[in-house]
Amino acid sequence: MREKYFPKEIEAKWQQHWADNHTFEVKPDDSRQKFYCLEMLPYPSGRIHMGHVRNYSIGDALAWYKRMRGFNVLHPMGWDAFGLPAENAAIDNNAQPETWTLNNIDHMRAQLKKMGIGYDWTREIASCLPDYYKWNQWFFIKMFERGLLYKKRSLVNWCPECNTVLANEQAEGGVCWRHTSTAVIQKELDQWFIRLTNYAQELLDGTYELEGGWPERVLTMQRDWIGRSEGARVNFKVKDSDAVITIFTTRIDTIYGANAIVLAPEHILIETLMEDSPLHDKVIEFATRLKNEDKIERTSADAKKEGIYTGRVAINPFNGAKLPIWIANFILMEYGTGAIMSVPGHDQRDFDFSTEYGLPIQQVIAPLDENGEPAVFGEMKEAFTGSGVLVNSAEWDGLPWPIANEKMTAFALSQKFGEGTVHYRIRDWGISRQRYWGTPIPIVYCDHCGIMTVPEDQLPVELPKNVVITGKGGSPLAQVPEFVNTTCLKCNRPARRETDTMDTFVDSSWYYFRYCDPKNDKAPFDKSKTDYWLPVDQYIGGIEHAVLHLIYTRFWSKMMRDLGLCDFNEPIHRLLTQGMVCMYADKVGRVVKMSKSLGNVIDPDDMISAFGADTTRLFALFAAPPEKDLDWNEKGVEGGFRFLARAYRLVWKWHAQMPQAKQTAAQSSELTPAQRKLQRKTHQTIKRITENFEDRMHFNTMISALMELVNEAYDFDTQLGDKAPCGTTVAIMREALESLALMLAPFAPHAAEEMWEGLGHQGGILSGALWPTFDADLARDDELEIPVQVNGKLRSRVRVSADVDEESLKQAAFADEKVKAATAGKEVVKIIVVPKKLINIVVKG
RNA sequence: GCGAAAGUGGCGAAAUUGGUAUACGCACCAGACUUAGGAUCUGGCGGGGAAACCCGUGGGGGUUCGAGUCCCCCCUUUCGCACCA
């Protein structure tokens, strides 16, 4: 230990120590409880940013704590290394995506090591390497064999910036998830889809299993995304035709109020219906125009309702009413059946549509008035969507909503013109990407034998190198004859390979399984290893993956479970979604997320050079609780540095006496008040921090508790002056400083190690399970200052012994001058005593 | 529009089940040490007032002995969803 706190020197020293001692490298060990601490793996964009620093500081704090509590902690790191930026860099810099990516990984790995994050680097993975993506292909084949994958020509989201297709989850709100200012357009393409919808119900049910462990916000977003709705399908016969139109509704109880059947412009029955119709050309022209309109605009909530009457009529199976068949812009082909019954009285969209075209509006649901009678409105000004009972609905009149729905659905089933059904909003996951830098899809097309998967023993289908990437004109792999041309695996005649690559979200769906067995070349992983480590105990990452990665990976593990590769339903027990790192930006005049384009970026490297990794990490944890956005403030960083230097100086001042100190302090009754005070603070701090790690993980308050302990220890030290300390004093100080060093380790591990060593300990903090324990008796206050209220207002405080009984406390309160003054001449109505907290005297007059 | 979360000093934030509002840090002020300090140490720091005391957690009501915390209404901000039948 040196006199002054030199983070650079200390950090290099301990990083070397951890590497030499393989401190963070772990193996399954049945004798110890495991803890899997995982941070979302980064995309190797080139440099670490503050968001990463925050993410990994949180994860490492927890990992250190758990290790110190004796857990066998798996804390790995890897790279989500496929993806578009590598291709763009290749175009811009004339580099190969692989070279660019691997160089970035090298640089970022070095940065993470400089931060001293405790990863088991022997388990590092990079998804762009064949020994990883081989298993993506293996999973593809398994899913193909089980019918979980299919190829379909369909309208898909296309991002003109990415020049590729996007999954629905990646095109939320009609914009690309990477290019949020770029509207996604619709294209018709052949695509590989994973049957995410097979697991829709299970994914929904799982969100209830995850309650408590996952933020409610994320669960809500996932539930909304899955979008389960219960309803019914009802068949409407078309008059003078054999055609039947099936509609989906969640409100079959309102069917007597239907005034039309409305179809999406893409509906397949339109052509049939319009055959021989004098309106044929007009209607088809209308539908074609809508189909060609921008989908996002056409289907946005504020688009004007627009429709056309087809001249055809459908029959309401409940009452035989003749309903005109319309086509309208607001009906979506991909939801339900692409056809609805319009019920203007009880659906605002139908109301607006009917008003626009003068269709009749009838009320069929009536709220109950104060006499319990159904209230029938005169003219309706808007749709009534509240609850009530049926009216104008023949024999169903008087039934309340949920019962009517049930009974009418049952009736439809019995009459064979409808049935109850559940509909989900979530769609299958389109994974084809018309890009180069991704996992090749292991499929071969033969003109004679059709579509076939590449046999397992021929995996991986390697991504060819030195491919010319222009960013234009379809899949780059299609331009590589050596890759495309192959022979049919069945008939040996010339055949072609699939030239699309997989969505990179495939890579990240199972990477944390691979960390458990990263070098396995026989299987994606050995189940005995994942059985030990998984599920993940704590996952930490940004909220932006709430419906992307976090839904895909839940699906993936359910699929793996069905393949017999794991035994659990949910792969991630607890999830922490950390807030963004923000800073004031001149360009917008307020505190916003750090971004290069706004110029409000701090480079972690600069921070580390100026203050050290410990200070940088400490501040990232101290400035705000982890799930909140964090305001980066350089002055605040200095405060973090001062705290570490202050703690360090105190340890320096005392470290020489430590080897001679008594191991345990005297009985607390024999301590001076000052000694007792520091001892109490030490034990209180251990209690606070330990409990906080176990439930709330608010690192900011844990660090402030450590600051308080340091302040208290300084006061103690200052009071001693130049007097030579007695053995008890040294023992009390030793306990305080050792506790401090140990509890600092999760937040500032290098400085903590240096202090721990300075206090006379060899081998490093993690050579044992050293998390300090507190003694509840020693943490307890001997004396308390109890606030005294009169009529709820604070009037005074009284000092009493901690074990005071109610009666003496009351006496002490009434003995107080200020309390006397406030209660003088008044009748005491009531005295409320909250043990150890407060006394409130209620007076009258 | 629907849904969720939040609003506390000059600033970042504490207050875990209703019980001393503002812990801890930053900034600021005063002092000590110093050739000097952007180092370190000591003290102060919500508003009003000489004081007693009064006021104070976005605004207004309510429940309670007692409300930052619970309930109702409103305002603002952020986030999510948005013609999903």
Side-chain angles (χ1 to χ4, degrees), chain A residues 510-541:
Chain A
W510 65 283
Y511 72 100
Y512 49 91
F513 284 74
R514 183 70 178 173
Y515 281 144
C516 300
D517 195 11
K519 302 200 169 62
N520 196 326
D521 58 1
K522 304 281 183 301
F525 48 81
D526 179 343
K527 186 167 179 293
S528 70
K529 291 180 176 162
T530 47
D531 279 351
Y532 177 79
W533 290 114
L534 282 156
V536 170
D537 294 279
Q538 181 71 59
Y539 199 21
I540 305 148

Side-chain angles (χ1 to χ4, degrees), chain A residues 154-158 165-166 185-189 191 193:
Chain A
S154 64
L155 271 185
V156 290
N157 308 297
W158 176 274
V165 167
L166 301 175
I185 58 175
Q186 303 291 308
K187 271 201 180 184
E188 198 170 308
L189 282 174
Q191 286 282 292
F193 287 91

Side-chain angles (χ1 to χ4, degrees), chain A residues 193 200 258 294 296 312 324 426 443 478 494 596 658 688 703:
Chain A
F193 287 91
D294 184 274
I296 308 307
R312 304 299 301 256
I426 195 169
I443 285 284
K596 268 186 212 146
M658 287 305 153
R688 269 173 78 182
I703 292 166

Side-chain angles (χ1 to χ4, degrees), chain A residues 334-379:
Chain A
E334 28 338 317
Y335 192 80
T337 58
I340 62 141
M341 61 176 189
S342 158
V343 183
H346 308 285
D347 182 292
Q348 192 56 40
R349 296 157 297 177
D350 299 345
F351 184 93
D352 295 343
F353 179 67
S354 298
T355 310
E356 182 73 32
Y357 290 99
L359 298 172
I361 296 169
Q362 190 180 32
Q363 181 186 6
V364 290
I365 302 287
L368 296 177
D369 64 20
E370 55 270 31
N371 303 318
E373 293 298 321
V376 177
F377 310 125
E379 197 190 332

Side-chain angles (χ1 to χ4, degrees), chain A residues 84 87 157-158 162-170 177 190-192 429-439 441 474-477 498-505 552:
Chain A
L84 215 46
E87 276 180 73
N157 308 297
W158 176 274
C162 300
N163 259 309
T164 187
V165 167
L166 301 175
N168 289 314
E169 287 76 8
Q170 295 152 24
W177 68 288
D190 278 321
Q191 286 282 292
W192 285 99
W429 174 12
I431 57 158
S432 298
R433 295 292 178 272
Q434 294 68 46
R435 302 296 311 211
Y436 162 72
W437 192 232
T439 305
I441 291 174
S475 303
L477 289 179
E498 167 68 62
T499 55
D500 282 356
T501 53
M502 291 184 205
D503 183 2
T504 56
F505 280 97
Y552 295 142

Side-chain angles (χ1 to χ4, degrees), chain A residues 56 84 119 182 197 208 242 299 424 571 630 647 668 675 748 764 769 790 822:
Chain A
Y56 310 146
L84 215 46
Y119 293 125
T182 306
T197 49
Y208 295 95
D242 298 331
T299 60
Y424 298 93
L630 180 156
S668 56
Q675 289 167 343
V790 176

